Amino acid sequence: MNHLIAPSILAADFGNLQRDIEMLNQSEADWIHVDVMDGLFVPNISFGFPVTSVVYKHATKPLDVHLMIVDPDRYLKGFKDAGAANITVHFEACPNLHRTIQVIKELGCKAGVALNPHTPVAMLEDIITDLDLVLIMSVNPGFGGQHFIENTYKKVKEIRELADQHNPHLHIEVDGGVDKSNAAKLVSAGANVLVAGSAVFSSANQMAMISGLKHPEKLLQL
Ligand code: DX5
Ligand code: ZN
């Protein structure tokens, strides 16, 4: 199966959010990645329910909500109600991760866990069969436009190995600094969902960039 592309609206033009979502609807994007930051788990604040609901209202594609917040349990239902199809919480923010994952699934959403760059993949060994998605952070969470961390390839291979053994349908998503220089290599390492914020929205031809990330053989032409 072809890998999925999830452009992050964190890098969209917020003054023209509806226009940018309509572009994503027309594009080869598969999911719309929604980055929620609380100023505590990460040093930055992005947006919450009202913006997520507006994205949902205009989007024709599933919302992939990435919660970079402390104590996400308090807000799971709120993000489901705002339109989330997938809810990803951070391993580092969840002392009772198993319970959090069960709640996300009971809400009817796909359940994901994100790992910060310093968190080893092995931390997920005992929960991997319960997950729909693992998100490997390839930058420190908090900001778009950062430099890709090379150790990510190793982590993607490790989680792919674990998934092949215990959960072959797992989505393996990479988030941060993804662009045309690393997309193909990430997919060959075993990733099957690529998040891209600035690579898409700072491109002169956003739809062509999405298409290029989806079909890496086209990237040479961009
Ligand atoms: C970073 C966010 C990312 C961000 C990616 O904390 O989780 O989803 O939007 O942006 P780029 O692709 O610009 O690194
Ligand atoms: Zn993200």
Side-chain angles (χ1 to χ4, degrees), residues 17-139:
L17 194 50
Q18 182 177 353
R19 179 201 67 193
D20 284 1
I21 295 164
E22 281 163 4
M23 180 279 292
L24 296 178
N25 290 342
Q26 298 308 311
S27 77
E28 289 187 70
D30 298 280
W31 295 346
I32 298 181
H33 188 79
V34 175
D35 284 308
V36 177
M37 303 178 183
D38 65 354
L40 289 170
F41 182 71
V42 289
N44 195 13
I45 297 177
S46 58
F47 51 76
F49 301 129
V51 172
T52 305
S53 300
V54 166
V55 177
Y56 180 65
K57 181 175 155 199
H58 296 293
T60 56
K61 300 182 177 180
L63 302 196
D64 179 43
V65 174
H66 177 193
L67 297 181
M68 287 162 274
I69 64 177
V70 295
D71 201 0
D73 296 3
R74 293 186 293 165
Y75 299 108
L76 299 174
K77 177 153 188 331
F79 281 104
K80 158 70 186 176
D81 292 345
N86 311 338
I87 299 181
T88 295
V89 294
H90 265 263
F91 175 84
E92 302 82 7
C94 295
N96 300 295
L97 184 61
H98 185 271
R99 182 186 297 144
T100 304
I101 293 304
Q102 302 313 319
V103 173
I104 295 173
K105 288 173 142 182
E106 281 160 19
L107 288 168
C109 295
K110 284 197 167 72
V113 173
L115 297 182
N116 271 346
H118 71 279
T119 305
V121 162
M123 301 308 280
L124 297 181
E125 272 174 19
D126 288 326
I127 199 167
I128 189 113
T129 53
D130 294 287
L131 303 180
D132 298 305
L133 183 154
V134 169
L135 184 159
I136 304 289
M137 286 302 310
S138 38
V139 297

Side-chain angles (χ1 to χ4, degrees), residues 128-216:
I128 189 113
T129 53
D130 294 287
L131 303 180
D132 298 305
L133 183 154
V134 169
L135 184 159
I136 304 289
M137 286 302 310
S138 38
V139 297
N140 287 294
F143 302 93
Q146 300 181 82
H147 190 67
F148 179 85
I149 297 172
E150 294 287 319
N151 189 51
T152 305
Y153 298 115
K154 173 190 144 244
K155 291 178 79 172
V156 170
K157 283 183 195 147
E158 289 170 354
I159 190 73
R160 169 52 63 202
E161 232 168 80
L162 210 56
D164 285 347
Q165 286 169 27
H166 303 290
N167 185 355
H169 299 298
L170 186 76
H171 289 293
I172 299 177
E173 181 170 29
V174 178
D175 184 9
V178 173
D179 61 20
K180 58 182 184 174
S181 73
N182 50 31
K185 198 170 162 192
L186 285 168
V187 172
S188 30
N192 58 8
V193 187
L194 302 179
V195 176
S198 29
V200 167
F201 286 98
S202 63
S203 165
N205 189 338
Q206 300 174 345
M207 290 195 27
M209 179 55 76
I210 293 168
S211 182
L213 294 170
K214 178 93 184 166
H215 309 281

